[in-house]
Amino acid sequence: MADQHPATDPVAARRKTRGTPRGRQLDPAALREVEDLLAGRSRARDMLIEHLHALQDRHGHLALRHLRALAHWMNLPMAAVYETATFYAHFDIVPDGEIPPPAVTIRVCDSLSCELAGARTLHSALAAEVDPAEIRVLRAPCMGRCDVAPVIEAGHRHLGHATPAAVRALLRAGDLHPDPIGWQHLPDYEAGGGYRLLRDLRGGSITIEQISAVLQDAGLRGLGGAGFPTFRKWAFVRAEPAPRYMVINADEGEPGTFKDRHYLEQAPHRFLEGALVSALGVDAAALYIYLRDEYPGLHAVLREAIAEAEAAGLAAPGFIHLRRGAGAYICGEESALIESLEGKPGKPRHRPPFVAQKGLFDRPTLVNNVETVYWIPLLWQHGADWFASQGRHGRKGLRSFSVSGRVARPGVHLAPAGITLQELVDEYCGGMMEGHRLLAYLPGGASGGILPANRADIPLDFDTLQPHGCFIGSAAVIVISDQDDLRAVAKNLMAFFADESCGQCTPCRVGTEKMLGLLACDEWDADQLDRLARVMQDASICGLGQAAPNPVTSLLRFFPAELAKQGVTLRPAAANTESAS
């Protein structure tokens, strides 16, 4: 058979080589812009999110041409860069040929505390007033300023007790940079004995074992939610082979929580001393601080405080790495946080192995909360007995309660562990707001469940609330009054969990959306809600999906009569309920 000419051979035509690779081509101009912006910076994978922030900050969005250039510059697959960028809420991806977002973005917090304070009405008013071509108005999750609800963020500037008029004045003034923070600089901290513990530890006059004994005797536990004994976590990580890492979880995204921001703004060097002592406690090769992006002012404070510590020889240059979150509640979960630190989408890992065994860069990692390490210099200074003697109702220690909602004086209140809600409100918060009567309260933020007014006498501490289907978590207390709609409360909390689910596991991804749909009905199928809650609690990978049903199960257990008054019919009538009156 005679050979066909290539021009007429269909097989040969199909084999014709391409002149360029498949897909969109690299834009040389975009590559030059990326190279200029990131000159001198590391191209390691764990720097991906930092580089995405740099591009977002420079251009106000992430153009696909810049993402392709960044992938080329970092030698990463475009799919990996795109997957990471699209996972986080604070990155605005703009496809080729589409219009970038306006120069100014107003984010209106829609967390429960802000919604109780009128955030929904505020959002509607602002959206109706602005020119959408110049300003966009978005709903956003908790900004960690629940004590001054409702809150907005314009650019990087936050405004508490926000009103449309106040927002207009802020926009006219034009300064959308973070509010300046008055913080305790190194000389003032050292004048009060600051860094003495760290210096003595390095000098050999005290040992890690002595410090660990103080933490054990004081009963210091993780104050980010889990409550694991701090001395024991140190020991677990220290027993693993080197190199080991230390990570600080400063991503307090739990609605109602703002205590870490409070302490970081007041005394960043006390926090840094506690973190550096903890790093020595496990002989860490490096210390990473993962700070939520909703705290832009604190980023500047910590950068300056770290520089002060390095200049004074208190921290080796480059030992402390400050990293920005990017708007993902799930990164408060320690393994998801570590994934994010590694430059990936913040999706929780399956366990075991635990992060104490294989954490950051697959090495043993100590993960502690901001407030946990903040207490370490104070405990050494005052002694374990001082701390342990502070509690009430048989409990030991002090707790930092972030209180918001229908109280006269919201804020961070340092109170004895085991204090009751009634005592906390009366003694520290100035009572209820005028005209409001206590109906319910959340003892541990959105995840911690809801308790009725007749259980305002339960000691608030680790292990005291579980018999009531609740937990204290990060001690974020949100107070609800007789003027509030419990169904709206449940829908607000469930919408938050549905939005913040990472989508990795079906029970959480589907369960939160399904439960939110059921809550929208005037008739609640109590059996179906209960079955769905059990599946989410039993089968979700991490605490988000496991805890998301807690507000709903609390309402079914404690508030059937109140729900009926507010127009919700339970079908069948909820069994095993308890009176809320």
Side-chain angles (χ1 to χ4, degrees):
M1 181 176 178
D3 291 338
Q4 285 187 292
H5 191 277
T8 59
D9 185 352
V11 175
R14 285 198 299 270
R15 290 175 179 169
K16 185 177 180 181
T17 58
R18 298 173 58 88
T20 59
R22 292 182 182 273
R24 296 281 186 173
Q25 301 307 300
L26 180 65
D27 182 342
L31 180 60
R32 285 194 298 272
E33 291 169 357
V34 167
E35 290 173 336
D36 290 344
L37 178 63
L38 303 180
R41 302 193 192 188
S42 169
R43 303 189 190 205
R45 169 66 189 261
D46 64 283
M47 291 298 294
L48 174 58
I49 293 174
E50 292 297 301
H51 297 337
L52 291 171
H53 274 304
L55 285 167
Q56 174 83 28
D57 292 345
R58 171 65 63 87
H59 301 286
H61 63 279
L62 296 177
L64 283 185
R65 68 189 192 94
H66 285 135
L67 293 186
R68 287 190 287 270
L70 180 62
H72 177 85
W73 187 79
M74 296 186 72
N75 195 27
L76 290 174
M78 174 58 178
V81 173
Y82 186 82
E83 179 190 25
T84 300
T86 54
F87 181 84
Y88 296 95
H90 288 187
F91 295 138
D92 296 305
I93 315 301
V94 178
D96 296 329
E98 293 197 7
I99 299 174
V104 175
T105 296
I106 298 175
R107 289 180 166 88
V108 182
C109 179
D110 65 0
S111 73
L112 180 58
S113 300
C114 284
E115 181 153 317
L116 294 176
R120 188 181 298 270
T121 301
L122 175 63
H123 177 274
S124 298
L126 293 175
E129 286 185 7
V130 303
D131 180 354
E134 297 182 358
I135 300 173
R136 61 174 176 169
V137 181
L138 305 177
R139 298 171 67 90
C142 187
M143 298 179 185
R145 293 164 172 80
C146 317
D147 52 332
V148 291
V151 176
I152 66 98
E153 181 186 26
H156 289 301
R157 195 175 192 91
H158 289 86
L159 178 66
H161 301 303
T163 63
V167 175
R168 287 195 296 271
L170 178 65
L171 294 174
R172 283 196 300 270
D175 184 2
L176 302 185
H177 296 95
D179 274 315
I181 298 171
W183 54 283
Q184 185 184 45
H185 287 263
L186 180 60
D188 290 334
Y189 181 61
E190 288 189 308
Y195 285 111
R196 186 176 301 158
L197 171 61
L198 180 64
R199 293 183 190 277
D200 288 347
L201 179 60
R202 286 180 174 160
S205 60
I206 60 174
T207 65
I208 286 296
E209 288 72 24
Q210 289 174 299
I211 299 174
S212 185
V214 169
L215 303 186
Q216 181 177 1
D217 293 343
L220 183 66
R221 299 170 68 168
L223 297 171
F228 196 81
T230 303
F231 82 96
R232 191 168 294 154
K233 185 180 280 191
W234 279 20
F236 285 159
V237 176
R238 198 163 56 238
E240 297 292 328
R244 296 174 285 267
Y245 291 100
M246 169 82 187
V247 169
I248 294 293
N249 183 347
D251 194 57
E252 60 170 359
E254 184 71 30
T257 310
F258 46 95
K259 63 182 178 62
D260 289 351
R261 177 181 61 82
H262 171 79
Y263 287 123
L264 288 173
E265 290 180 349
Q266 280 195 337
H269 279 291
R270 181 172 294 141
F271 153 73
L272 286 175
E273 182 177 15
L276 289 166
V277 168
S278 300
L280 281 174
V282 298
D283 191 22
L287 166 61
Y288 286 78
I289 302 170
Y290 188 92
L291 180 65
R292 70 185 310 219
D293 199 36
E294 288 83 353
Y295 294 166
L298 269 177
H299 282 277
V301 168
L302 284 178
R303 281 196 299 271
E304 189 172 348
I306 291 168
E308 287 184 343
E310 290 178 345
L314 296 163
F319 179 77
I320 302 175
H321 303 262
L322 179 61
R323 297 288 176 83
R324 289 169 69 179
Y329 167 74
I330 191 62
C331 289
E333 197 275 341
E334 61 179 7
S335 66
L337 182 154
I338 286 173
E339 288 286 298
S340 188
L341 278 174
E342 293 179 352
K344 305 170 188 173
K347 296 182 180 181
R349 297 175 179 177
H350 290 275
R351 290 170 288 185
F354 297 93
V355 299
Q357 301 163 309
K358 289 190 176 183
L360 185 63
F361 309 131
D362 216 25
R363 300 306 307 165
T365 303
L366 174 66
V367 181
N368 272 148
N369 165 261
V370 167
E371 192 196 355
T372 305
V373 301
Y374 179 90
W375 276 106
I376 291 173
L378 291 171
L379 291 179
W380 185 259
Q381 178 183 356
H382 295 289
D385 291 342
W386 164 79
F387 185 79
S389 65
Q390 300 289 329
R392 290 189 190 178
H393 305 295
R395 312 303 296 180
K396 295 181 178 181
L398 294 166
R399 296 289 176 267
S400 302
F401 293 94
S402 305
V403 186
S404 61
R406 306 303 194 180
V407 295
R409 287 201 304 270
V412 175
H413 298 290
L414 184 63
I419 194 171
T420 67
L421 184 281
Q422 195 65 61
E423 292 168 341
L424 182 65
V425 169
D426 291 343
E427 298 176 29
Y428 290 83
C429 303
M432 297 290 291
M433 291 174 62
E434 185 175 353
H436 290 260
R437 178 176 59 83
L438 177 65
L439 172 65
Y441 67 101
L442 284 68
S447 304
I450 306 175
L451 288 169
N454 68 359
R455 280 166 176 73
D457 59 351
I458 300 171
L460 297 176
D461 199 12
F462 299 113
D463 313 318
T464 61
L465 301 173
Q466 280 82 345
H468 308 277
C470 298
F471 58 82
I472 193 170
S474 58
V477 176
I478 304 176
V479 178
I480 300 168
S481 83
D482 57 340
Q483 298 187 26
D484 297 317
D485 182 335
L486 288 178
R487 178 166 61 170
V489 168
K491 288 171 62 179
N492 175 278
L493 298 173
M494 191 54 60
F496 167 77
F497 289 123
D499 285 344
E500 295 297 331
S501 172
C502 76
Q504 180 177 196
C505 68
T506 302
C508 177
R509 181 184 67 250
V510 177
T512 51
E513 291 287 356
K514 177 67 173 176
M515 189 167 282
L516 182 59
L518 294 172
L519 297 180
C521 303
D522 289 334
E523 186 175 84
W524 287 8
D525 187 327
D527 288 343
Q528 188 176 11
L529 286 169
D530 184 65
R531 288 195 304 272
L532 183 56
R534 286 202 302 271
V535 169
M536 295 170 66
Q537 291 163 346
D538 292 343
S540 295
I541 290 174
C542 79
L544 190 157
Q546 295 162 10
N550 286 347
V552 176
T553 57
S554 294
L555 292 186
L556 295 176
R557 177 177 178 179
F558 295 118
F559 297 94
E562 190 65 34
L563 289 170
K565 291 178 186 176
Q566 296 181 357
V568 176
T569 302
L570 294 181
R571 181 181 61 82
N576 302 319
T577 60
E578 303 177 38
S579 172
S581 59

